Coordinates of all heavy atoms in Angstrom, one line a residue:
D1 N 0.8 -1.2 0.0 CA 0.0 0.0 0.0 C 0.9 1.3 0.0 O 0.4 2.3 0.4 CB -0.9 0.0 1.2 CG -0.2 0.0 2.5 OD1 1.0 -0.3 2.5 OD2 -0.9 0.3 3.6
C2 N 2.1 1.2 -0.5 CA 3.0 2.3 -0.5 C 2.5 3.4 -1.4 O 1.7 3.2 -2.3 CB 4.4 1.9 -0.8 SG 4.6 1.3 -2.5
V3 N 3.0 4.6 -1.2 CA 2.7 5.8 -2.0 C 4.0 6.1 -2.8 O 5.0 6.4 -2.2 CB 2.3 7.0 -1.1 CG1 1.9 8.2 -2.0 CG2 1.0 6.6 -0.3
L4 N 3.8 6.1 -4.1 CA 5.0 6.3 -5.0 C 4.8 7.7 -5.6 O 3.8 8.1 -6.1 CB 5.0 5.3 -6.1 CG 5.2 3.8 -5.7 CD1 5.1 2.9 -6.9 CD2 6.5 3.7 -4.9
G5 N 5.9 8.5 -5.6 CA 6.0 9.7 -6.4 C 6.7 9.5 -7.7 O 7.8 8.9 -7.7
L6 N 6.0 9.8 -8.8 CA 6.5 9.5 -10.1 C 6.9 10.7 -10.9 O 6.5 11.8 -10.6 CB 5.5 8.7 -10.9 CG 5.0 7.4 -10.2 CD1 4.0 6.6 -11.0 CD2 6.2 6.5 -9.9
A7 N 7.7 10.5 -11.9 CA 8.2 11.5 -12.8 C 8.1 11.1 -14.2 O 7.8 10.0 -14.5 CB 9.7 11.8 -12.4
T8 N 8.3 12.1 -15.1 CA 8.2 11.8 -16.5 C 9.5 12.2 -17.2 O 10.5 12.6 -16.5 CB 7.1 12.7 -17.2 OG1 7.3 14.1 -16.8 CG2 5.7 12.2 -16.7
G9 N 9.6 12.0 -18.5 CA 10.8 12.3 -19.2 C 11.4 11.1 -19.8 O 11.1 9.9 -19.5
R10 N 12.3 11.3 -20.7 CA 13.0 10.2 -21.5 C 13.7 9.3 -20.5 O 13.8 8.1 -20.7 CB 13.9 10.7 -22.6 CG 13.1 11.3 -23.7 CD 13.9 12.2 -24.6 NE 14.3 13.4 -23.9 CZ 15.2 14.3 -24.5 NH1 15.7 14.1 -25.7 NH2 15.5 15.4 -23.8
T11 N 14.4 9.8 -19.5 CA 15.1 9.0 -18.6 C 14.2 8.0 -17.9 O 14.6 6.9 -17.6 CB 15.8 9.9 -17.5 OG1 16.7 10.8 -18.2 CG2 16.7 9.0 -16.6
M12 N 13.0 8.4 -17.6 CA 12.1 7.5 -16.8 C 11.5 6.4 -17.7 O 11.0 5.4 -17.1 CB 11.0 8.4 -16.2 CG 11.4 9.3 -15.1 SD 12.2 8.5 -13.7 CE 13.0 9.8 -12.9
E13 N 11.5 6.6 -19.0 CA 10.9 5.6 -19.8 C 11.5 4.2 -19.6 O 10.8 3.2 -19.5 CB 10.9 6.0 -21.3 CG 10.0 7.2 -21.5 CD 10.1 7.7 -23.0 OE1 10.5 6.9 -23.8 OE2 9.7 8.9 -23.2
R14 N 12.9 4.2 -19.5 CA 13.5 2.9 -19.3 C 13.2 2.4 -17.9 O 13.2 1.1 -17.7 CB 15.0 3.0 -19.5 CG 15.5 3.1 -21.0 CD 16.9 2.8 -21.1 NE 17.4 3.0 -22.5 CZ 17.3 2.1 -23.5 NH1 16.7 1.0 -23.2 NH2 17.8 2.4 -24.7
V15 N 13.1 3.3 -16.9 CA 12.8 2.8 -15.6 C 11.4 2.1 -15.6 O 11.3 1.1 -15.0 CB 12.8 4.1 -14.6 CG1 12.2 3.6 -13.2 CG2 14.2 4.7 -14.5
Y16 N 10.4 2.7 -16.2 CA 9.1 2.1 -16.3 C 9.1 0.8 -17.1 O 8.4 -0.2 -16.7 CB 8.1 3.1 -16.8 CG 7.9 4.3 -15.9 CD1 7.7 5.6 -16.4 CD2 8.0 4.2 -14.5 CE1 7.6 6.7 -15.6 CE2 7.9 5.3 -13.7 CZ 7.7 6.6 -14.2 OH 7.6 7.7 -13.4
D17 N 9.9 0.8 -18.1 CA 10.0 -0.5 -18.9 C 10.6 -1.6 -17.9 O 10.1 -2.7 -17.9 CB 11.0 -0.3 -20.1 CG 10.3 0.4 -21.2 OD1 9.1 0.6 -21.2 OD2 11.1 0.9 -22.1
A18 N 11.6 -1.3 -17.2 CA 12.2 -2.2 -16.3 C 11.2 -2.6 -15.2 O 11.2 -3.8 -14.8 CB 13.5 -1.7 -15.7
L19 N 10.5 -1.7 -14.7 CA 9.5 -2.0 -13.6 C 8.4 -2.9 -14.1 O 8.0 -3.8 -13.4 CB 8.9 -0.7 -13.0 CG 8.0 -0.8 -11.8 CD1 8.7 -1.5 -10.7 CD2 7.5 0.6 -11.4
V20 N 7.9 -2.6 -15.3 CA 6.9 -3.5 -15.9 C 7.5 -4.9 -16.1 O 6.8 -5.9 -15.8 CB 6.4 -2.9 -17.2 CG1 5.6 -3.9 -18.0 CG2 5.6 -1.6 -17.0
E21 N 8.7 -5.0 -16.5 CA 9.3 -6.3 -16.7 C 9.4 -7.1 -15.3 O 9.1 -8.3 -15.3 CB 10.7 -6.2 -17.3 CG 11.4 -7.5 -17.6 CD 12.7 -7.3 -18.3 OE1 13.0 -6.2 -18.9 OE2 13.5 -8.2 -18.3
I22 N 9.9 -6.4 -14.3 CA 9.9 -7.0 -13.0 C 8.5 -7.4 -12.5 O 8.3 -8.5 -11.9 CB 10.6 -6.1 -12.0 CG1 12.1 -5.9 -12.3 CG2 10.5 -6.6 -10.5 CD1 12.7 -4.8 -11.4
G23 N 7.6 -6.5 -12.8 CA 6.2 -6.7 -12.3 C 5.6 -8.0 -12.9 O 5.0 -8.8 -12.2
H24 N 5.9 -8.2 -14.2 CA 5.4 -9.4 -14.8 C 6.2 -10.7 -14.3 O 5.5 -11.7 -14.1 CB 5.5 -9.3 -16.3 CG 4.6 -8.3 -16.9 ND1 4.8 -7.8 -18.2 CD2 3.5 -7.8 -16.5 CE1 3.9 -6.9 -18.5 NE2 3.0 -6.9 -17.4
A25 N 7.5 -10.6 -14.2 CA 8.3 -11.7 -13.8 C 8.0 -12.1 -12.3 O 8.1 -13.3 -12.0 CB 9.8 -11.4 -14.0
E26 N 7.7 -11.2 -11.5 CA 7.6 -11.5 -10.1 C 6.2 -11.3 -9.5 O 6.0 -11.3 -8.3 CB 8.6 -10.6 -9.3 CG 10.1 -10.8 -9.7 CD 11.1 -9.9 -9.0 OE1 10.7 -9.3 -7.9 OE2 12.2 -9.8 -9.5
A27 N 5.3 -11.1 -10.4 CA 3.8 -10.9 -10.0 C 3.6 -9.8 -9.0 O 3.0 -10.0 -8.0 CB 3.3 -12.3 -9.6
L28 N 4.2 -8.7 -9.3 CA 4.0 -7.5 -8.3 C 2.6 -7.1 -8.3 O 1.9 -7.1 -9.3 CB 4.9 -6.4 -8.8 CG 6.4 -6.5 -8.6 CD1 7.1 -5.2 -9.1 CD2 6.8 -6.8 -7.2
D29 N 2.1 -6.8 -7.1 CA 0.7 -6.3 -6.9 C 0.7 -4.8 -6.8 O 1.2 -4.3 -5.8 CB 0.2 -7.0 -5.7 CG -1.3 -6.6 -5.4 OD1 -1.9 -5.9 -6.3 OD2 -1.8 -6.9 -4.3
F30 N 0.2 -4.1 -7.8 CA 0.1 -2.7 -7.8 C -1.3 -2.2 -7.3 O -1.5 -1.0 -7.3 CB 0.4 -2.1 -9.2 CG 1.8 -2.3 -9.7 CD1 2.2 -3.4 -10.4 CD2 2.7 -1.3 -9.4 CE1 3.5 -3.5 -10.8 CE2 4.0 -1.4 -9.9 CZ 4.4 -2.5 -10.6
S31 N -2.1 -3.1 -7.0 CA -3.5 -2.7 -6.8 C -3.8 -1.9 -5.6 O -4.8 -1.1 -5.6 CB -4.4 -4.0 -6.7 OG -4.1 -4.7 -5.5

């Protein structure tokens, strides 16, 4: 139930790609 502060920009696109990959591989619960 954590609260995440997010950012935009080209640098963050790879971060979100990596987070999505981890999320799928490790069944992260973002709900």
Side-chain angles (χ1 to χ4, degrees):
D1 61 347
C2 66
V3 179
L4 300 176
L6 302 180
T8 55
R10 287 165 291 176
T11 303
M12 293 298 164
E13 291 176 19
R14 285 200 186 276
V15 173
Y16 296 143
D17 286 344
L19 183 59
V20 169
E21 184 175 343
I22 294 172
H24 291 161
E26 301 179 16
L28 290 181
D29 180 9
F30 291 90
S31 66

